[in-house]
Amino acid sequence: KKAIDDMIAKLLQDKEGEIKQKDFCIEELNTNERETDLKNRDKEETQAKIDTLTNEIETLTNEIDTLKAEIQSLQTNLKRAGEDREQENKDFQETVADQRATVKLLEKTLDVLKGFYNKKHKGASLAQEDPAGPPPPPGFKSYKKNSGSGGVMGMIQQIINDAKTEEAEAIQAEKDAQSAYESFVKDTNDSITAKQDSITDKADTKAKKEGEKTDAKKDLENIMIELEELANENADLHKACDFTLKNFDIRQQARDEEVEGLREAKAALSGAQLTLLQRSGA
């Protein structure tokens, strides 16, 4: 009877141990599955973050390159504008010098003509009463003052006036061109400064995002390591638990039947002993 009791106790102990093993396996497998799902979600989110940062860094790089190209173009335009302004000023100086030289020459010419014709005018009366030299031959007219002298001097004076007008217009045009050039230089330099500031800001943002991307890649590496560990743990759990989980009901039923059989055997043995005692007493 003691042997039967020991066998029954052992079977019940094994049964309890297998129940605990089953509960442990289910809990650990469920925990492993939850942690794996969470890590896979972390993996997807981290990879998405890396992809987003990669695109943002690429965009910033392109924007910085574009700004640098625009600055170079502005600087080239500024240099060309300076060269053009220098040539325009040179042309202006030559034009003014030519106009002033023309005016000076014409004014001298006009003064000479005025002196000549004024002198002729003073002697006009005497010349009419006592003409110089002998009378002209038949068919020739006597000498008279050039009646077109006023027209010549007027034409010269008009040329002088036109030259002075052109000089004044050239001076005004030069002032306007210089003012426009100075405004262009200021606007261009302001634009260059703004673009340089933008490059600085974008470069700082790019550096920050590159740091974030480096950190995210490290995070992803750690996540992949943890996923590998979870996968190994899952494989070990299945190796240790699959047999128990798949055969649990059958093994429990078999133990229950075996325990029940032993109990019946013990009862039968007790009954037989009782009968034997009764017969011995008779």
Side-chain angles (χ1 to χ4, degrees):
K1 289 172 63 174
K2 184 178 183 304
I4 293 175
D5 289 338
D6 291 342
M7 292 176 64
I8 291 174
K10 180 66 169 60
L11 288 169
L12 292 175
Q13 183 180 359
D14 291 344
K15 177 180 179 180
E16 185 65 24
E18 198 166 72
I19 291 172
K20 290 181 179 179
Q21 176 67 15
K22 175 192 174 186
D23 293 341
F24 167 81
C25 288
I26 292 174
E27 177 63 25
E28 289 299 312
L29 285 168
N30 287 338
T31 299
N32 180 273
E33 183 178 356
R34 285 195 303 271
E35 291 180 353
T36 299
D37 289 341
L38 289 173
K39 285 301 172 184
N40 278 321
R41 188 181 305 170
D42 290 344
K43 173 188 173 184
E44 292 174 359
E45 292 175 353
T46 304
Q47 184 61 58
K49 181 179 180 180
I50 291 172
D51 293 341
T52 298
L53 288 168
T54 299
N55 292 333
E56 291 175 345
I57 291 169
E58 182 179 357
T59 298
L60 286 167
T61 300
N62 292 335
E63 290 175 348
I64 290 171
D65 290 342
T66 298
L67 286 168
K68 288 180 178 179
E70 290 174 352
I71 288 174
Q72 185 175 4
S73 177
L74 288 171
Q75 290 173 333
T76 299
N77 292 339
L78 197 61
K79 182 175 181 294
R80 289 175 179 172
E83 293 170 350
D84 291 344
R85 179 84 281 272
E86 184 178 355
Q87 183 60 48
E88 289 172 355
N89 182 262
K90 182 179 178 182
D91 293 342
F92 161 73
Q93 298 293 346
E94 291 177 355
T95 298
V96 170
D98 290 344
Q99 294 299 331
R100 289 177 179 175
T102 298
V103 168
K104 184 177 181 180
L105 177 63
L106 290 175
E107 284 178 340
K108 286 183 178 180
T109 302
L110 189 60
D111 289 341
V112 171
L113 289 174
K114 284 180 179 179
F116 174 76
Y117 284 115
N118 286 338
K119 183 178 179 182
K120 286 290 185 179
H121 180 68
K122 290 178 181 179
S125 299
L126 181 60
Q128 291 175 356
E129 296 175 359
D130 187 15
F140 289 89
K141 295 181 179 179
S142 61
Y143 175 79
K144 295 182 179 179
K145 183 182 71 170
N146 187 356
S147 61
S149 61
V152 171
M153 289 189 294
M155 181 182 67
I156 292 174
Q157 184 61 55
Q158 184 61 47
I159 293 173
I160 291 172
N161 294 340
D162 291 345
K164 289 182 177 180
T165 299
E166 290 180 8
E167 179 184 345
E169 292 175 350
I171 291 172
Q172 185 59 49
E174 171 64 15
K175 289 180 179 179
D176 293 342
Q178 181 62 26
S179 177
Y181 170 72
E182 290 173 358
S183 295
F184 172 76
V185 170
K186 181 181 182 303
D187 293 342
T188 301
N189 285 330
D190 288 345
S191 180
I192 289 173
T193 299
K195 291 180 185 297
Q196 288 172 335
D197 291 342
S198 180
I199 287 175
T200 299
D201 292 340
K202 290 180 184 296
D204 291 342
T205 302
K206 178 184 174 183
K208 180 180 178 182
K209 290 187 179 296
E210 286 174 337
E212 292 177 358
K213 180 180 177 181
T214 299
D215 292 340
K217 290 176 74 174
K218 290 180 180 177
D219 291 341
L220 184 61
E221 290 176 1
N222 292 332
I223 290 171
M224 296 304 295
I225 291 173
E226 292 175 3
L227 281 171
E228 184 177 358
E229 292 174 351
L230 286 168
N232 293 335
E233 180 185 73
N234 183 268
D236 292 340
L237 285 170
H238 278 289
K239 186 183 296 185
C241 296
D242 282 355
F243 179 80
T244 299
L245 294 175
K246 290 178 181 179
N247 298 282
F248 179 77
D249 292 337
I250 296 174
R251 288 171 62 83
Q252 290 293 307
Q253 183 179 355
R255 281 197 184 87
D256 290 341
E257 292 175 353
E258 188 174 357
V259 168
E260 184 62 26
L262 288 171
R263 285 174 177 168
E264 289 177 358
K266 179 182 176 182
L269 181 59
S270 297
Q273 289 178 342
L274 180 59
T275 302
L276 183 59
L277 288 174
Q278 289 175 346
R279 288 178 180 175
S280 297

